Amino acid sequence: MTGQESLFPELNTAHLGASAQAGAPRATSGVSAPEPARSGEGPVAAYVSVVVDIPARALSEPFAYAVPAALDEACQVGATVLVPFGRRVEAGYVVTRAEGLESLPGAEGLDPARIRSVRDVVAEPAFCTTSAELAIWMSREYVASLSECLRLLLPPGGAGKVVRGGDGSYAYEPPSVAPVTARWVSLTEEGRSFTPADRAVRQRQLIDALSCGPVTTRELNLMNGDLSATIRALEKRGVVAVEERRSWRGCEASTTLSSANASAPKELTAGQQSALDAIGRATQMARGDVVLVDGVTGSGKTEVYLAAIERVLAQGRSACVLVPEISLTAQTVGRFRSRFGDSVAVFHSRLSTGERLDQWDMVRSGAARVVVGARSALFCPFEDLGLIVIDEEHEQSYKQGSSPRYHAREVAAKLAQLHGCALVLGSATPSAEALARCEAGAFGGARWTRVEMPERPGAARLPEVVVADLRREFASGSRSIFSKPLLDALDEVVEKRQKAVLLHNRRGFASFLMCRECGCVPTCKHCSTALTYHERTHTLECHTCGSSYRVRPYPEYGSACPKCGSRYLAKMGLGTQQVEDALRALLPEDVAVIRMDADSTRAKGAHQKLLEQFDAAECAVLLGTQMIAKGLDFPEVTLVGVINADYALKMPDFRAGERAFDLLEQVSGRAGRGEDPGRVVIQTYLPDEPVIRAVKTHDRSVFTEHDLEMRREALYPPYIRLANVLVWGRDECAARGLVMRIAEELRAEFGLDAAPMLHPMVESGGADAEFSSREVLARPQILGPTPCVIERAKDRYRFHIIVKVPLGCDLSAALAEAVSRAGTRPGVSIAVDVDAYDLM
């Protein structure tokens, strides 16, 4: 756009030092033509910086606009406005406001006569200045468009859109979701002394129903039938009053889970008290300090959160609690509501848009002062945030998979600094990054403190862990899914009428089908991945794009290989559906077998329903994927079994070992939380792996010492920073050409001379072979470009570049500059993932 320069200062591109310093700001205005734009637009009340709602990196900067006097009161920070942009009108968000143009950040030297005016204010402020600062930081840190970051702060339902009419005029269409209200009926002062006539039965019913307080018309009609005519009659006589009140959807849900109640203990353990004291000190410092609560499973971390929040609420402030899985929400919300009542809002993706809007409004209005939810709960409109808690902080689900690709831990740390509150991270298996920052004592201007909670409250003890070597099971002639130790343990659970949890992190029935004659493995037509067989629906499903294909495997009639036509299309591998069938055949009919995976929990409320079934059963086995491994608290569970611990160990990802350890240690912690001791049986072909040995002995150092040494030698976090630049498109040549261009610009940006080549990624050899690990750590490293592990997904060819830089290097600015210079290609998309978790 000619003449529309950014209000943001340019970033220094010398990225090999510490953080880049801002250069001189450039003049910016909402002007697209050289002629004066202010003539005839009326007096100016103020000036604002507006981010145009166009999700493009090239427009990730605000523009200056004048505020007409007629819009002065409505045009505040956080408001959605219509502004002229070039030759059209666009929606935008106000991020800064100043009374004079010279006071507007970045607008020094602009000519007021060239500043165009805001056309209209179409939505009231949705965020404050602090939230706008957070969005600007996210845009720079994660190389995302600023409008995408600001959209996170808007009310659920998304942004509206600007439409152009046939006459050339522009109009704003708001989101379709809208708040709802309820009609409340109450007795007036005159109504309290009103006595209905003897034959006025309906009036007497209404008066009796209202004698204890206001009631909604819906509840009145449910209790007594249709009372609409009676209400209108008594309203005319001044006996009752009817008013519209905001209704909160999403608050009606309750749960029968016994673990959803959180009565305060008589006395905290020494570890709990130590953690609570550390949180108190961090809160008092009011600078965004971080406390890592490193407590074994079942050590009572939730009670620490509750006690800390009680202190914050007593100060008149609010709190935000993040949980990693939807399956935990019913249990966690139940616990918090049992302690804090209706002042708890819940916020996650399984709620409808209308329910999320009402929960969001509860926070904005102050009706809710505690928010419990997934990572998106961070962007609720908190008035005075006093505490942020991230439970199970090691979880990968805290990393956003689409733009902006933020990590909830990093955003929460920034938000805590902006609000001057404490951030609490809790986990039995803290991430390597969190442990490294605590060891250093500080990070990002905040103090990081680790507090250990090594004991479980009361008589509960950590479970005994038994490792079942599947090699020996096979050598002894066993072909069962279940090893002898696991079979014996299941028999004991049935005999004592207890409960068990079985983990198998592969959904479906079989991992894939394979022709026994030609070796063909059916793959997705749209992706370069094998299809998973689902027995219940007789379908092959792609877990990458969701495509589904009808199939009949051997020995069913109609079975045929898609390549050679052979009938011998056999089921290979093991999924949760197959384990479920084996359990039902093995166990007595009075033992409930409940499967919990992505297939059985697709319906709304399915997580809660399945957990309630398990909780209510006298004797039951809960079989599931990783969603059952974290946070669930059932004292009756005395056995945890892991069907195959090896799936996650050999993934092509440097975090594979850490994820495997986290998963196994977390699921092991589900056992022995009550009076009865717990037992864990881990089935594996790799009993000597450090991960397995660490879980068996409950000694994290057995794994972490090995893992950190591997990361140090191969140059991976927490010793360096890592980014993944992903390029994909239907045209393979166009995608390859663009990723090569980006690699060239990255090498130029970091001063690396080697020309990019499309080759497999290797950790040694080539131009950097002569450098030791310590020497290479002092300079950036570009790996690739290369095809992704999943080369094709949803008919798009995928390539990526991995960028490693020393700690302290301004990685985000370098990536933004290189991607900007590389330009774009029609039909080709680019994603920049800073501090990447998914390298597949």
Side-chain angles (χ1 to χ4, degrees):
M1 304 295 281
T2 305
Q4 293 189 357
E5 300 176 72
S6 169
L7 282 172
F8 282 174
E10 287 183 321
L11 295 176
N12 190 342
T13 57
H15 305 296
L16 299 183
S19 297
Q21 298 179 351
R26 293 183 287 172
T28 306
S29 73
V31 179
S32 59
E35 59 268 20
R38 288 278 324 124
S39 60
E41 294 188 354
V44 174
Y47 292 89
V48 291
S49 298
V50 176
V51 176
V52 180
D53 189 21
I54 300 176
R57 292 190 183 92
L59 298 176
S60 292
E61 300 166 333
F63 297 90
Y65 286 91
V67 180
L71 301 177
D72 183 30
E73 185 175 347
C75 193
Q76 302 294 328
V77 172
T80 303
V81 296
L82 293 182
V83 294
F85 194 72
R87 298 182 179 181
R88 61 187 191 272
V89 172
E90 294 288 351
Y93 312 110
V94 178
V95 294
T96 314
R97 177 183 163 113
E99 299 306 311
L101 184 60
E102 67 283 351
S103 302
L104 198 67
E108 299 85 355
L110 292 182
D111 181 3
R114 295 175 57 85
I115 305 298
R116 304 178 77 175
S117 295
V118 173
R119 287 276 189 94
D120 196 10
V121 178
V122 294
E124 62 182 345
F127 54 85
C128 61
T129 302
T130 301
S131 297
E133 289 182 38
L134 178 69
I136 292 170
W137 174 84
M138 289 178 63
S139 174
R140 291 175 170 175
E141 181 71 10
Y142 295 106
V143 196
S145 72
L146 185 49
S147 66
E148 286 180 318
C149 298
L150 288 170
R151 285 181 181 180
L152 296 172
L153 306 172
L154 299 182
K161 61 181 181 179
V162 178
V163 294
R164 186 175 184 179
D167 58 355
S169 62
Y170 290 87
Y172 179 78
E173 290 186 357
S176 57
V177 62
V180 297
T181 58
R183 299 178 73 231
W184 286 78
V185 185
S186 59
L187 290 173
T188 63
E189 288 298 325
E190 296 82 357
R192 297 185 187 280
S193 58
F194 174 76
T195 302
D198 293 339
R199 288 187 289 181
V201 178
R202 302 293 280 169
Q203 291 185 4
R204 189 175 296 108
Q205 288 177 336
L206 179 59
I207 297 299
D208 290 344
L210 298 177
S211 60
C212 295
V215 183
T216 65
T217 55
R218 180 176 178 272
E219 292 171 332
L220 287 171
N221 292 334
L222 286 174
M223 290 187 297
N224 303 287
D226 189 4
L227 289 174
S228 302
T230 307
I231 293 171
R232 287 194 297 269
L234 292 185
E235 183 182 17
K236 290 180 180 179
R237 297 173 62 177
V239 176
V240 300
V242 181
E243 62 176 330
E244 296 278 347
R245 295 184 189 175
R246 184 75 163 82
S247 180
W248 308 119
R249 290 164 289 187
C251 297
E252 307 85 1
S254 60
T255 180
T256 61
L257 287 171
S258 57
S259 58
N261 184 44
S263 56
K266 294 181 179 180
E267 185 179 3
L268 297 177
T269 67
Q272 288 174 324
Q273 189 60 55
S274 177
L276 191 59
D277 292 342
I279 295 170
R281 290 190 294 270
T283 301
Q284 190 174 9
M285 294 302 295
R287 62 185 182 191
D289 287 350
V290 181
V291 177
L292 173 62
V293 180
D294 183 0
V296 298
T297 54
S299 58
K301 293 184 287 294
T302 301
E303 181 56 41
V304 174
Y305 308 153
L306 292 167
I309 290 172
E310 283 180 342
R311 294 181 178 182
V312 167
L313 295 183
Q315 298 170 4
R317 306 183 74 181
S318 57
C320 178
V321 182
L322 303 189
V323 291
E325 293 281 0
I326 299 303
S327 60
L328 302 184
T329 303
Q331 173 183 282
T332 307
V333 172
R335 288 180 170 182
F336 279 79
R337 282 182 174 161
S338 71
R339 191 73 69 90
F340 304 123
D342 293 335
S343 65
V344 177
V346 58
F347 206 81
H348 59 78
S349 60
R350 285 295 181 101
L351 296 175
S352 69
T353 305
E355 288 172 332
R356 281 186 284 122
L357 174 64
D358 289 348
Q359 298 294 298
W360 189 90
D361 275 342
M362 283 181 66
V363 180
R364 181 166 64 170
S365 67
R369 295 170 58 199
V370 179
V371 179
V372 179
R375 60 179 180 267
S376 57
L378 281 173
F379 306 108
C380 287
F382 298 100
E383 183 64 30
D384 187 8
L385 189 58
L387 183 69
I388 305 173
V389 176
I390 301 182
D391 192 27
E392 311 292 0
E393 70 83 21
H394 63 276
E395 268 299 306
Q396 184 181 354
S397 60
Y398 286 127
K399 187 73 163 75
Q400 173 80 353
S402 58
S403 186
R405 287 172 166 78
Y406 66 89
H407 195 296
R409 180 186 61 226
E410 311 306 325
V411 174
K414 183 64 176 180
L415 191 62
Q417 289 183 338
L418 292 173
H419 281 275
C421 69
L423 168 62
V424 178
L425 308 177
S427 178
T429 54
S431 63
E433 289 82 358
L435 289 172
R437 293 174 188 181
C438 289
E439 185 177 351
F443 181 82
R447 183 177 180 180
W448 284 61
T449 305
R450 174 172 168 250
V451 182
E452 293 187 79
M453 291 171 52
E455 74 282 349
R456 287 182 169 183
R461 296 292 180 266
L462 289 173
E464 172 197 5
V465 179
V466 176
V467 175
D469 190 340
L470 294 181
R471 297 173 302 180
R472 293 182 179 178
E473 292 285 324
F474 184 82
S476 66
S478 173
R479 300 297 182 265
S480 171
I481 293 174
F482 311 108
S483 63
K484 187 177 186 306
L486 185 54
L487 284 172
D488 292 343
L490 285 170
D491 288 341
E492 186 177 337
V493 166
V494 173
E495 181 182 345
K496 295 182 177 180
R497 308 305 292 171
Q498 296 172 336
K499 294 179 181 178
V501 169
L502 296 187
L503 171 72
H504 185 60
N505 207 22
R506 283 291 182 274
R507 64 187 175 102
F509 187 88
S511 300
F512 58 94
L513 299 183
M514 184 174 71
C515 178
R516 287 294 183 89
E517 291 195 2
C518 73
C520 170
V521 175
T523 58
C524 180
K525 297 178 181 178
H526 310 287
C527 312
S528 57
T529 53
L531 297 167
T532 301
Y533 177 64
H534 289 247
E535 178 82 3
R536 305 294 184 272
T537 55
H538 296 291
T539 55
L540 281 170
E541 297 185 9
C542 177
H543 292 173
T544 300
C545 71
S547 297
S548 179
Y549 309 86
R550 299 287 297 178
V551 68
R552 292 286 181 180
Y554 181 83
E556 295 185 28
Y557 178 77
S559 172
C561 170
K563 184 177 181 180
C564 70
S566 169
R567 286 196 61 218
Y568 299 103
L569 196 61
K571 306 166 190 174
M572 310 296 288
L574 190 65
T576 50
Q577 293 177 6
Q578 191 171 345
V579 179
E580 179 188 14
D581 289 350
L583 281 172
R584 294 190 185 279
L586 174 70
L587 300 175
E589 291 185 359
D590 62 347
V591 177
V593 177
I594 299 167
R595 177 170 58 88
M596 192 169 174
D597 56 25
D599 298 315
S600 64
T601 58
R602 288 177 178 173
K604 183 177 179 180
H607 293 89
Q608 180 175 332
K609 182 179 179 181
L610 292 173
L611 290 176
E612 288 174 348
Q613 290 177 7
F614 181 67
D615 190 37
E618 179 194 7
C619 181
V621 176
L622 177 64
L623 165 69
T625 54
Q626 61 179 349
M627 63 176 63
I628 67 168
K630 300 168 287 290
L632 299 180
D633 187 4
F634 295 102
E636 306 89 357
V637 172
T638 58
L639 172 65
V640 165
V642 180
I643 303 301
N644 192 329
D646 304 334
Y647 277 118
L649 283 174
K650 299 302 179 183
M651 295 291 288
D653 187 347
F654 74 94
R655 285 192 174 92
E658 182 182 23
R659 289 173 184 156
F661 172 76
D662 293 346
L663 182 63
L664 295 177
E665 184 68 17
Q666 290 286 341
V667 76
S668 297
R670 302 315 105 202
R673 288 172 170 253
E675 296 179 357
D676 296 326
R679 187 192 317 176
V680 179
V681 179
I682 298 177
Q683 300 185 157
T684 177
Y685 287 97
L686 305 169
D688 297 324
E689 280 285 320
V691 168
I692 305 298
R693 290 190 287 114
V695 175
K696 176 178 173 58
T697 58
H698 296 293
D699 184 358
R700 184 194 306 156
S701 64
V702 173
F703 163 69
T704 55
E705 290 177 2
H706 168 79
D707 185 56
L708 290 176
E709 182 60 31
M710 296 286 289
R711 294 191 188 201
R712 186 183 292 110
E713 291 180 0
L715 300 178
Y716 281 113
Y719 301 104
I720 54 99
R721 291 196 72 190
L722 179 74
N724 188 29
V725 182
L726 180 66
V727 177
W728 70 95
R730 290 183 181 272
D731 187 331
E732 183 179 3
C733 292
R736 181 186 289 109
L738 181 55
V739 76
M740 296 280 287
R741 175 64 178 164
I742 293 173
E744 289 176 2
E745 294 297 342
L746 281 169
R747 285 183 167 82
E749 189 70 20
F750 288 117
L752 304 176
D753 297 328
M757 295 172 57
L758 199 64
H759 58 80
M761 291 186 184
V762 292
E763 291 300 325
S764 61
D768 292 330
E770 67 272 18
F771 291 96
S772 68
S773 294
R774 186 172 181 178
E775 290 171 330
V776 173
L777 190 61
R779 57 176 291 183
Q781 188 180 81
I782 311 296
L783 301 181
T786 186
C788 296
V789 175
I790 301 177
E791 296 185 23
R792 192 166 61 98
K794 302 179 182 179
D795 292 320
R796 270 75 173 176
Y797 294 92
R798 306 168 75 245
F799 302 89
H800 70 149
I801 306 165
I802 292 179
V803 183
K804 298 179 179 181
V805 298
L807 299 176
C809 175
D810 194 350
L811 175 60
S812 302
L815 290 168
E817 187 68 24
V819 170
S820 176
R821 288 203 305 262
T824 60
R825 301 287 190 279
V828 180
S829 301
I830 305 172
V832 179
D833 193 358
V834 178
D835 298 327
Y837 271 56
D838 183 6
L839 302 179
M840 303 287 281

